[in-house]
Amino acid sequence: MSEMKRIFLTAVVGLAMTHPAVAQWNAEDEPADGDEKEWGSAAEFDRYRIGGYGEVLANFMSYGPWRNTNSGGSSDKGRNQISLPRFVLAGDLHFDRKKKWTLGVEIEFEAGGTGTAREIEWDDENGEYETELEKGGEVALEQLHITREIFPELGVRVGHMVLPVGQINAHHEPTNYLGTSRPEAETIFIPSTWHETGIEIFGKALDGILSYQAFVVTGLNADGFRRSDWIKKGKQGLFETDNFTSPAYVARIDVAPVRGLRFGGSVYYCNNAGANADKVQKYSGFKTPVVVASADAQYKGYGVVARANFLYGRIGNADRLINEAHRTVAKQSGYTTDNFGKQVHSAAMSWGMEAGWDISYAARGMRGKALSALIPFVRYEWYDPCYEAAPGKAKFDQFEVSKWTAGINYYPLKELVIKADYTWRRVGQGKYNNENEFSLCVGYSGWFFSDRSIKAYHARRAEKKLSADKEVIAKMNQRLEMQQREIDALKAKIQ
C-alpha cells in the first residue's frame, strides 16, 4: 500500500470514528448569582462584550528536566516552579443592528508576556548601550476574524481562527477541563492552542443536534517536526508572513443527541508540509503529507462530568524528511539541530479519559452560596509521539507515557476555579524513572462586561435610586401629614 493511500485511509477512519463532545451545565443546575442579577449576563450583548481567561500554576516535581539525555530518564532531583501560563483578553463586536456581521478578537500573553529594554551599562561596560531581554514569554494574536451569519444552517468566518482538532483546542479555557493543566494526551504532539489563518464555513442542522465546521487555512511547516513533540512545533508564525503554498483542510462534526451529551470528530490534512518550509529546496523530489484524526466525547449532567478523547496522526515520507530535509539545519533557524531530536517518527497516537462528580449537586442548598461546584476527579492518559518509527529508523521509547491524575476542582463562582491534583507518570513502560508531581492552579474564564450588562447595571442603580427617592418622599409626606394634624389640633383648641 502506498504512503498516500495510507494517509487517505487514516483520514477516512478518523471521520468514521466521529465520537467527540462538549456540553454545558444543565440550566436547572446553574446557581443563582447575585452579581449576575446586579450586572446582567455579560455573555448577552447588542453591540460589544469584553472578557477573557487566565491562570496561575505551581508545580512541585519529584524529577529533573533531563529525561531525553539520561539513559535512565529524568533524574531523581526534584524541582519546583511557578508560572503564568497564559492571560487572554477577548472581545466581540457587532457591526450592524441585525447582528449579522461580527468581529472577534483574542490576544494571548503567554508566560507573563515578552519584552526588551534599552539601557546604558555604566558599571561594567563603560557606558555601552545594551538591549536586555526583560520577558521570555510570548504575545500572540490568537484570534482575529470577521463572521457573517447568513442563517443558522450556514455561516462564513474569515481571519485568524482556532482549529477544533481534538477536544481541548476548542474548549481550552481553564474552567472547561478538570486538571491543573490541559490534558497532555491532547497537547503533547499537536499545537495548543492551535490557531491558523484562513476561511471557515460552519452551521447547524436538525434543530441544533448536528453542527459542522470546515476550514481552509495555512498548513504546517515540516522544518519544525521533531521526535519529542512530533508536529507541534511545525505551526507557522516565526515570520511576518505565513506560507500558503500547501494549505491545510480541516473538518469537524459534533452531534448532541440529548441534553448534556455530545459526540464529535475532526480531521486535519495538509498535502505537503515541506512546501511550507522556510527553504523549500530541501524538500525537492518528495512530499510530506500530514494527517491527524481525532474523536472525543463529553457528558455533563446530574453532577457528572465525563470526557474521553483519541488522537492519531501520520507523516508521509518521514524517512526522507530526516535523511534529506533535516540533514542540515542552521542554528539560527530556531529549529532543533540535534541529530536525535530531528528524527521525527511516522506516526503519533494518544488517548485519555477523565471523570468527576460535583459534590454540591447532592447538597443544592450550598450552591450559589458557599460555592458553585466542588468536583473531585480522576484522569488517565496514554500518549506516544514516537508511536511508529520512520522506515529504517530506530524507535525511541522514552517518549511513551501512561499517566494517572487525581485531584479536586473548587468553583467559588462558575467563572473562577481553584484546582489541586497529583500526577503519576510511567515512562517508557517502566524502563525509565517515574515522574510524579503535585500541582496547584487558580484559573478564570468568562465575559467581564457587555453593553447590555452595563445598561442593566445602570438601570438597576436608577431603579434603586428611584426606590430610595420614593421612600424619602413617603417619609416627607408622613411628616407633613403629622404637622398638618398638629396644626389642626391647635386650631381646634383656639376656637
Side-chain angles (χ1 to χ4, degrees):
M1 183 183 295
S2 69
E3 186 68 25
M4 286 306 299
K5 285 183 178 179
R6 295 181 69 181
I7 295 288
F8 176 76
L9 287 176
T10 302
V12 172
V13 170
L15 280 175
M17 293 180 62
T18 306
H19 229 302
V22 189
Q24 305 299 321
W25 289 103
N26 290 336
E28 61 268 20
D29 289 340
E30 287 288 2
D33 192 326
D35 288 339
E36 185 168 302
K37 289 182 179 179
E38 177 77 12
W39 281 87
S41 174
E44 301 293 333
F45 68 110
D46 296 314
R47 178 70 172 167
Y48 65 86
R49 62 181 177 180
I50 302 295
Y53 64 92
E55 55 201 312
V56 180
L57 177 64
N59 305 99
F60 305 89
M61 296 163 281
S62 68
Y63 58 94
W66 309 289
R67 183 202 300 174
N68 304 337
T69 56
N70 292 333
S71 59
S74 300
S75 70
D76 293 329
K77 186 176 181 180
R79 58 195 170 104
N80 305 325
Q81 63 184 30
I82 191 166
S83 61
L84 300 170
R86 53 193 60 86
F87 165 71
V88 176
L89 288 175
D92 288 327
L93 172 68
H94 288 315
F95 285 112
D96 60 326
R97 291 185 177 181
K98 294 182 179 180
K99 304 179 182 180
K100 294 295 184 181
W101 294 91
T102 306
L103 171 68
V105 180
E106 277 194 17
I107 300 176
E108 179 181 52
F109 299 82
E110 189 174 299
T114 185
T116 58
R118 188 72 168 164
E119 60 184 37
I120 301 176
E121 181 59 64
W122 292 102
D123 293 336
D124 299 319
E125 304 294 339
N126 198 27
E128 290 187 5
Y129 288 92
E130 291 187 350
T131 300
E132 299 287 345
L133 183 65
E134 299 287 339
K135 287 283 187 180
E138 177 185 355
V139 177
L141 189 63
E142 191 168 281
Q143 295 190 65
L144 176 62
H145 48 72
I146 293 177
T147 302
R148 173 66 166 97
E149 294 187 12
I150 302 171
F151 36 82
E153 293 79 14
L154 179 64
V156 180
R157 184 173 290 122
V158 178
H160 197 68
M161 302 160 291
V162 170
L163 300 187
V165 180
Q167 187 166 228
I168 201 66
N169 267 312
H171 307 278
H172 49 267
E173 297 83 3
T175 54
N176 286 338
Y177 53 87
L178 294 178
T180 55
S181 298
R182 297 176 180 180
E184 290 181 5
E186 292 192 77
T187 60
I188 193 67
F189 58 75
I190 63 172
S192 178
T193 306
W194 195 345
H195 41 90
E196 302 284 3
T197 304
I199 185 170
E200 173 192 2
I201 297 175
F202 63 93
K204 294 182 178 181
L206 303 176
D207 294 326
I209 294 176
L210 174 70
S211 62
Y212 70 90
Q213 296 171 270
F215 301 78
V216 180
V217 294
T218 47
L220 293 169
N221 178 349
D223 285 344
F225 298 172
R226 56 187 191 177
R227 64 169 182 168
S228 61
D229 47 20
W230 204 53
I231 64 170
K232 184 171 185 174
K233 299 299 183 182
K235 183 184 175 303
Q236 298 193 62
L238 295 177
F239 299 95
E240 293 179 349
T241 59
D242 293 339
N243 290 329
F244 199 63
T245 307
S246 181
Y249 305 92
V250 184
R252 181 173 179 90
I253 296 176
D254 286 294
V255 180
V258 297
R259 190 176 189 180
L261 176 65
R262 190 175 297 177
F263 304 98
S266 61
V267 168
Y268 173 96
Y269 178 73
C270 179
N271 183 53
N272 185 13
N276 299 322
D278 302 348
K279 299 179 179 179
V280 296
Q281 61 269 25
K282 296 185 297 182
Y283 295 86
S284 60
F286 71 97
K287 289 185 176 181
T288 311
V290 178
V291 64
V292 179
S294 78
D296 54 81
Q298 178 171 283
Y299 176 73
K300 280 186 175 183
Y302 302 101
V304 175
V305 182
R307 301 182 182 93
N309 62 273
F310 171 82
L311 279 170
Y312 178 80
R314 292 195 64 85
I315 299 174
N317 295 314
D319 53 339
R320 299 190 67 179
L321 175 65
I322 297 169
N323 294 335
E324 299 176 34
H326 282 186
R327 183 169 53 86
T328 56
V329 178
K331 292 182 178 180
Q332 296 83 0
S333 67
Y335 306 114
T336 181
T337 58
D338 178 74
N339 288 330
F340 289 111
K342 292 183 289 186
Q343 295 192 32
V344 61
H345 284 45
S346 293
M349 188 169 74
S350 72
W351 65 276
M353 59 184 68
E354 65 179 15
W357 187 65
D358 183 3
I359 295 175
S360 70
Y361 183 82
R364 293 192 171 216
M366 299 172 60
R367 304 202 71 189
K369 296 179 180 178
L371 73 165
S372 180
L374 183 64
I375 309 175
F377 78 98
V378 63
R379 175 196 289 168
Y380 177 77
E381 301 173 81
W382 178 92
Y383 57 86
D384 190 358
C386 301
Y387 181 67
E388 181 183 326
K393 301 297 180 180
K395 183 182 185 306
F396 294 90
D397 55 8
Q398 68 265 44
F399 299 98
E400 179 184 351
V401 173
S402 60
K403 174 185 174 184
W404 283 96
T405 303
I408 193 165
N409 294 254
Y410 166 52
Y411 290 78
L413 303 168
K414 61 184 178 181
E415 303 88 357
L416 178 66
V417 62
I418 301 171
K419 307 180 182 185
D421 60 32
Y422 193 85
T423 295
W424 300 263
R425 285 189 192 85
R426 189 168 181 262
V427 182
Q429 299 182 0
K431 298 177 184 178
Y432 303 87
N433 294 334
N434 292 338
E435 298 176 354
N436 305 327
E437 66 185 83
F438 172 72
S439 301
L440 295 169
C441 175
V442 178
Y444 70 91
S445 66
W447 296 104
F448 306 147
F449 62 88
S450 67
D451 56 345
R452 189 177 293 186
S453 69
I454 291 174
K455 289 177 183 177
Y457 172 73
H458 287 299
R460 179 63 175 166
R461 291 197 64 180
E463 183 181 344
K464 285 184 176 181
K465 187 176 185 302
L466 179 60
S467 178
D469 290 344
K470 286 181 178 179
E471 289 182 7
V472 171
I473 293 172
K475 289 179 179 180
M476 290 178 64
N477 287 334
Q478 289 177 358
R479 293 179 65 181
L480 288 172
E481 289 176 0
M482 290 177 61
Q483 290 175 355
Q484 186 62 47
R485 286 197 295 268
E486 291 175 356
I487 292 171
D488 292 340
L490 288 172
K491 286 181 177 180
K493 286 181 179 181
I494 293 172
Q495 293 176 354

